[in-house]
Amino acid sequence: MSAALPQNPSRRSVLKGIGMAALAAGPLSACAFGSSDTPATGGATGAKSTTNPFGVVANAPLEVVIFKGGLGDAYATEVHEPLYKKAFPQAEIKHVPTQQIAQTLQPRFAGGNVPDMIANSGSDMMDNGALQGEGQLLDLTALYDAPAIGGSGSVRDSLLPGSVEAGFIGGKPYMMKYIYTVYGLWYDSALFAKNSWAPPTTFAEFDTLLGKIKATGIAPYAYAGKNAAYYQYWMIAVTAAQIGGNQVLIDMDNLKEGVWTSDPVRQAAEAWASIGKKYLDPSFEGLTHTEVQTSQNQGKVGFYPSGSWLENEQKEQTPAGFQYALAPTPSVGSSDKLPYGAVRAAAGESYIVPSKAKNSAGGLEYLRIMLSQEGARGFTEKTGIITVVKGAADGLKLSPGTQSSNEALKKAGDNIITYNLFEDWYKEFETDLRSKTNALMFGRSSAEQFCKDVQAKADAIKADSSITKQSRTS
């Protein structure tokens, strides 16, 4: 993971319990995938049952294409494929690892010779929105409605909030999102224990603790203004949601008039501007995320806002004894609509089943196996990453950061904020917001001016139909 915006630009996440506007399918690039007016279900099926809800033909071959990047592919070859083989011993599984998903598969989509399940990820990932627009992706509703393996209820019931909706295109799930990323304030728990510091629950406690950290010569709070200012506007947005509820983020995402000048956003901006004024070193505005993160590993930074990829991203720079831990965003006041402990989390990494696959039923069953307790637990054991399956990582020996993320999710319960905001839709607005966030946090703009300026930009973007019609549907 890097400081680039989150992967999967065709995805639009939703907030807990509330669906958002869906992605408008865009045109394909010059390298087309082929087209069909009516999406096919793909492949032969046999008798359906509770244990075989999609009617997988027992001896039907299954082809699985896995992006072999940072996660490797052992989770497929040593966990999920053996579980599939156990269920269907007569099935021959063809495993195709690659780091060039689009380069490998675009000719096959164009020729109608597609695999049965694809881990569509990496810098060469295919455009899921374009694939769906061409009728090339299978609607995964049946997957989520199917019985969960080894449990009671449906697959949908076994997943963490926002997991199904994260794969929506046009209001239906065409992608299975598998990894669950948790966001918040990251710190070294060993350093904190040594100094008898405890994570703050309120902004008043946050202020007091940062003062104590500063007194030791450590930069108490930092983010990278040069290339990752969005790490900070995430924090402002989450605080606004804690104050005013999830509707604030829905309104941000839909460029609603007046949302940025509303009381919850203004209060959030004021709270974070105060932190910036007192505790941000001006030099951090000119640093990159890796520079600031390495400074934290060296014991020079107290709190750093990021996602749960941070520990893995910094593993080469993290010295022995450094213990990553996650703290939720502090509460502003007792009237906050979301309690302390609410965390932002989001499902990521796309797995898809082509609609014209020879064994699409097998592809669906493969995803159902991935979403089983055994399949998800095995994935975490191989990768150290939490999945969207509730409780699958409980009891495992995890790295400090992953364990902390898992504990934060359990404590949050239903108070999980999951969203992608406007980043995937309005790039011009997002770029401008980075600049305005730096101006706020480094003392060149007041909270009132920040809110006024951001709202003006949102209004201008909304008025530009050439942007909004291409970017979103209502």
Side-chain angles (χ1 to χ4, degrees), residues 63-67 94-98 101 104-105 108 115-120 351:
E63 184 178 3
V64 175
V65 176
I66 299 292
F67 169 67
K94 181 180 181 181
H95 175 84
V96 182
T98 180
I101 292 291
T104 301
L105 295 180
R108 296 185 58 181
D116 303 304
M117 198 293 297
I118 303 164
N120 187 26
Y351 293 79

Side-chain angles (χ1 to χ4, degrees), residues 56-62 84-85 87-94 359:
V56 177
V57 177
N59 63 353
L62 181 79
Y84 187 94
K85 189 73 173 178
F88 304 99
Q90 301 174 58
E92 177 186 347
I93 300 177
K94 181 180 181 181
N359 187 12

Side-chain angles (χ1 to χ4, degrees), residues 45-289:
T45 57
K48 297 181 180 181
S49 65
T50 302
T51 57
N52 186 9
F54 312 118
V56 177
V57 177
N59 63 353
L62 181 79
E63 184 178 3
V64 175
V65 176
I66 299 292
F67 169 67
K68 192 174 182 179
L71 298 174
D73 65 344
Y75 71 88
T77 59
E78 299 177 19
V79 180
H80 301 144
E81 290 169 17
L83 287 173
Y84 187 94
K85 189 73 173 178
K86 181 180 179 180
F88 304 99
Q90 301 174 58
E92 177 186 347
I93 300 177
K94 181 180 181 181
H95 175 84
V96 182
T98 180
Q99 292 187 356
Q100 305 294 327
I101 292 291
Q103 182 176 318
T104 301
L105 295 180
Q106 280 180 343
R108 296 185 58 181
F109 272 93
N113 175 32
V114 292
D116 303 304
M117 198 293 297
I118 303 164
N120 187 26
S121 189
S123 60
D124 190 46
M125 67 180 289
M126 296 179 292
D127 185 331
N128 289 312
L131 284 171
Q132 187 274 338
E134 292 277 301
Q136 294 283 1
L137 297 186
L138 197 66
D139 179 351
L140 302 181
T141 299
L143 165 68
Y144 296 115
D145 290 342
I149 297 175
S152 59
S154 67
V155 170
R156 186 190 309 272
D157 296 334
S158 70
L159 306 182
L160 289 164
S163 302
V164 176
E165 295 86 351
F168 274 14
I169 302 175
K172 294 182 180 180
Y174 288 93
M175 301 170 285
M176 187 271 277
K177 298 289 187 174
Y178 197 51
I179 288 174
Y180 214 61
T181 299
V182 188
Y183 300 79
L185 296 170
W186 292 87
Y187 64 98
D188 177 7
S189 62
L191 174 67
F192 273 48
K194 177 182 176 181
N195 289 279
S196 299
W197 296 333
T201 62
T202 66
F203 260 85
E205 292 177 5
F206 193 29
D207 190 354
T208 299
L209 176 57
L210 293 181
K212 293 180 180 179
I213 296 174
K214 185 177 181 179
T216 68
I218 297 172
Y221 181 80
Y223 75 94
K226 185 174 182 178
N227 71 334
Y230 56 91
Y231 283 23
Q232 181 55 45
Y233 72 59
W234 286 343
M235 302 308 293
I236 296 171
V238 167
T239 298
Q242 287 176 300
I243 297 169
N246 288 341
Q247 187 63 44
V248 175
L249 300 181
I250 297 174
D251 292 345
M252 284 183 179
D253 192 50
N254 288 285
L255 303 179
K256 184 176 180 180
E257 182 179 355
V259 62
W260 285 96
T261 53
S262 66
D263 284 342
V265 179
R266 179 185 52 77
Q267 290 178 46
E270 287 175 348
W272 281 106
S274 177
I275 297 300
K277 181 178 181 180
K278 292 182 179 181
Y279 303 113
L280 264 183
D281 186 326
S283 67
F284 288 118
E285 187 169 10
L287 299 183
T288 65
H289 70 295

Side-chain angles (χ1 to χ4, degrees), residues 264-318:
V265 179
R266 179 185 52 77
Q267 290 178 46
E270 287 175 348
W272 281 106
S274 177
I275 297 300
K277 181 178 181 180
K278 292 182 179 181
Y279 303 113
L280 264 183
D281 186 326
S283 67
F284 288 118
E285 187 169 10
L287 299 183
T288 65
H289 70 295
T290 53
E291 290 172 322
V292 179
Q293 289 164 191
T294 300
S295 291
Q296 186 180 43
N297 296 146
Q298 295 169 347
K300 299 176 182 178
V301 170
F303 286 105
Y304 178 75
S306 188
S308 51
W309 64 77
L310 177 63
E311 181 181 45
N312 186 62
E313 185 177 44
Q314 289 297 113
K315 62 184 177 182
E316 299 300 326
Q317 288 74 39
T318 304

Side-chain angles (χ1 to χ4, degrees), residues 6 8 13 62 81 170 183 191 241 278 303 312 322 324 329 337 357 363 366-367 386 397 412 432 442 472:
N8 308 325
S13 297
L62 181 79
E81 290 169 17
Y183 300 79
L191 174 67
K278 292 182 179 181
F303 286 105
N312 186 62
F322 188 103
Y324 272 111
T329 309
K337 289 190 176 180
Y366 189 92
L367 295 185
I386 297 172
K397 185 177 181 180
D432 186 73
F442 289 98
R472 63 185 291 275

